Amino acid sequence: MKFRMGELFSGPGGLALGAKLAGFIDNTGEKWGFEHAWANDFDKDTVETYKLNILHDSDADTVFCEDVSDLPIGDKSILPDIDALAFGFPCNDYSNVGKQKGLNGIYGPLYSYGVKVMKYYQPKVFVAENVGGLSSANEGYALVKILEEFQARGYHITPNLYKFEEYGVPQARHRIIIVGIRNDLYEQGIHYHVPAQTTPDPKDMRTSQQAIEVPPIPINVPNNEMPNTTKRVVERLSYIPEGENAWYLGIPENLRLHVRGAKLSSIYKRLDHTKPAYTVTGSGGGGTHMYHWKENRALTNRERARLQTFPDNFEFIGSKESVRKQIGMAVPPEGAKVVMEAVLKTFAGIKYDSVKPTEKLQLKNLEKGNTPILKGLGK
């Protein structure tokens, strides 16, 4: 059975690739999977990356490069019916890095376009993704409002905080993913369960070194240009041990940064080769590009892409900074695969190992304005 999938805020294709990888054949010989119906993103380079890697430049007219407010949601001659909706609604206003404006920001209300798709298309299932900081935005009210609106559109929802390093992704990336099953299907016994972690033990987690070096990155692979590193940055990095950042006490005074706060940040932070990487981000100025555990340099975009579990043949389109942004904003395909495969197995009636969803994220346990309930989930 194929689920025709529509996407909003598709990014370069992390969720879409995860959905592709999730397909399987059951013991009756039936094929289960997702197939592309249409997608949308605002950024031109991101859309070109999606077309090249997800569609291999075919059906290019099904990917819309425009503001989501201009997307003709409901016009089924342009955006046909779908069985599944996937949307990683923009996280800028919910991230713990920044002012966390939440619903009051420019990006915060964009989840409502997902609600609009639910209204006009009533897909069987939706998968929505956002940062862990969503749980504390607007003193916890943002998450409550979003979950209530998803539920009001006729869906049984299962929010959960996924720690991707516990699912084989070589990166400590914590994201809230909300899976919604349409109520009539839920009442028929289609019940989604959170898939069990595949690498819950730290000693089994994929490390940054394993991701980057095993196998070695091939010569001439796309997006692997070495970064330009100034002599001063090289010298500063030479004093920073792996796992430490720009505030390491062993850095000579003349090479130290004199910036207030942020001492626990990732500024000029080296990877620890024995652990998963810290979170790959898509923006930030000097000192935020992620740094090799041994070599005195920032990572290449291909190395960042490996930490995000994109295959080496996945080519990102655009300038170095554009590619960096695309990689950092994406959903790790291998993480997405875990969720999308669980969705397919749910509909196929195939049992899989599961765990209880994050208790504090369930709507019945949320209290508007009560930040202590949500404390710590966004870390």
Side-chain angles (χ1 to χ4, degrees), residues 242-313:
E242 61 179 295
E244 297 288 348
N245 65 10
W247 283 268
Y248 178 65
L249 293 177
I251 300 174
E253 180 63 32
N254 66 308
L255 294 173
R256 291 186 184 180
L257 297 180
H258 299 286
V259 182
R260 291 187 177 182
K263 291 190 176 182
L264 297 177
S265 76
S266 298
I267 296 177
Y268 290 111
K269 185 174 182 178
R270 285 191 182 272
L271 298 174
D272 181 333
H273 82 285
T274 67
K275 299 177 181 178
Y278 54 91
T279 305
V280 178
T281 59
S283 61
T288 63
H289 289 67
M290 304 191 78
Y291 296 85
H292 198 277
W293 60 90
K294 182 172 62 177
E295 299 177 22
N296 296 325
R297 62 171 178 85
L299 300 185
T300 68
N301 277 324
R302 179 52 52 190
E303 288 169 335
R304 294 188 193 93
R306 279 200 168 191
L307 296 177
Q308 280 278 63
T309 69
F310 282 97
D312 289 344
N313 63 356

Side-chain angles (χ1 to χ4, degrees), residues 154-215:
Y155 289 84
H156 182 276
I157 54 176
T158 306
N160 187 65
L161 183 73
Y162 291 80
K163 296 181 178 181
F164 280 129
E165 69 271 28
E166 296 180 350
Y167 290 90
V169 175
Q171 177 193 169
R173 194 177 189 90
H174 300 173
R175 293 295 184 263
I176 291 174
I177 295 180
I178 305 157
V179 175
I181 303 291
R182 206 173 64 203
N183 281 343
D184 61 311
L185 299 172
Y186 183 82
E187 291 166 1
Q188 295 172 24
I190 309 295
H191 296 177
Y192 173 83
H193 300 285
V194 175
Q197 296 89 340
T198 55
T199 54
D201 191 325
K203 73 176 187 295
D204 296 326
M205 293 176 181
R206 286 182 67 199
T207 68
S208 56
Q209 182 179 25
Q210 288 171 333
I212 290 172
E213 293 189 349
V214 183

Side-chain angles (χ1 to χ4, degrees), residues 142-154:
L143 180 59
V144 172
K145 178 174 174 57
I146 290 169
L147 294 183
E148 286 181 340
E149 289 201 43
F150 289 171
Q151 193 175 72
R153 277 294 155 207

